[in-house]
Amino acid sequence: MSTESNVLTAASADAAAPAPAAPAPAAPVADKLTKKALTADHPTWCPGCGDFAVLNIFYRVLEKLQYPHENIVCVAGIGCSSRFPYFMNTHGIHFIHGRALPLATGVSLSRPDLHVFVFGGDGDGFSIGGNHLNHAARKNVKLTYIIMDNFVYGLTKKQTSPTSPIGFKSKTDPTGAIDRPINPMRQLLASGATFIARTHAAQVKHMEAMFERAIKHDGFSVVECLSECVMFYASAFDDSTPRKGGVFETIDEAQHDVTDETAAFKMAENLTPGKFGVYYQVNRPTKNALEQKWIDDTQSKMNGMTPKDVLKKRLETMR
């Protein structure tokens, strides 16, 4: 056999041989979630506002939990505290006053893969949004609601809020408030929330623990966080602030059964200064799980029809 023939034969054999497999592409390495990655802008709150501490602790808890960055959603209504979505580099919505919870409910139900957080103040939560708070709590929607309670309407420069104490003098009550204030713990217990906690913006370790437990709870979790408004009600929480001569008393869970609703109601009778910690926590099916079961059961009866087919068939019957 000639030399040329040998070359052609070898070339033909090479062409027939399978190409060596290319190395598999390396799996993308997710960036670690850091405070820098979560920060969108410098907060515009007044110097000394308690909301700064709340924001920083929220950063810290998210850094610890390392949820996928793209799965974090922050929703808020109106008020100083409700400016959270502007300062967080996450999906964010600054919505109508008091209506943050209905919007967040829709996000949570339609995208169960997302971690939904709602932020608001005492006005957004207990006044104009009070009705929505009751229903989100009783339905046990899976989300976490942090209410920064400062006992005053600070954004609009000192009007009486639903948690202002009797006698508080403001632009709307120049001779002192006469209406009985809302007791947040008792209202949340009555509405059926499955995780209820109370903390203080000046007690950052305690606040961090409460946030983390609330976020990990499978259901509607709410934390009332006392957050001082240094401009319009600087003395509101003196009786629970040790550096101002007050007492910060935490709940001893060795003595308090967090599943005992009656005990939680009794403990909530006195909130001035009251106790701080988890008042109540129980497990109950979430609205998310119940709706998904309903959807799954319905689809199993559709004999392979898509939701679009069902809608088309229904519209045809309506002609």
Side-chain angles (χ1 to χ4, degrees), residues 57-92:
I57 292 304
F58 188 61
Y59 286 144
R60 187 183 299 177
V61 174
L62 289 186
E63 282 183 310
K64 184 176 182 180
L65 297 177
Q66 287 295 307
Y67 289 148
H69 197 170
E70 66 276 14
N71 286 10
I72 300 171
V73 183
C74 294
V75 182
I78 300 297
C80 291
S81 53
S82 295
R83 295 187 62 79
F84 245 73
Y86 288 108
F87 312 138
M88 295 290 302
N89 183 23
T90 64
H91 300 297

Side-chain angles (χ1 to χ4, degrees), residues 57 60 199-200 202-211:
I57 292 304
R60 187 183 299 177
T199 188
H200 196 304
Q203 302 291 331
V204 292
K205 289 186 177 178
H206 186 268
M207 180 166 49
E208 181 179 352
M210 294 301 102
F211 285 4

Side-chain angles (χ1 to χ4, degrees), residues 26 48 51 70 82 92 110 130-131 162 169 202 207 229 234 257-258 288 296:
D51 294 354
E70 66 276 14
S82 295
S110 60
N131 188 42
K169 294 182 179 180
M207 180 166 49
C229 176
D257 177 4
V258 296
N288 307 59
D296 293 342

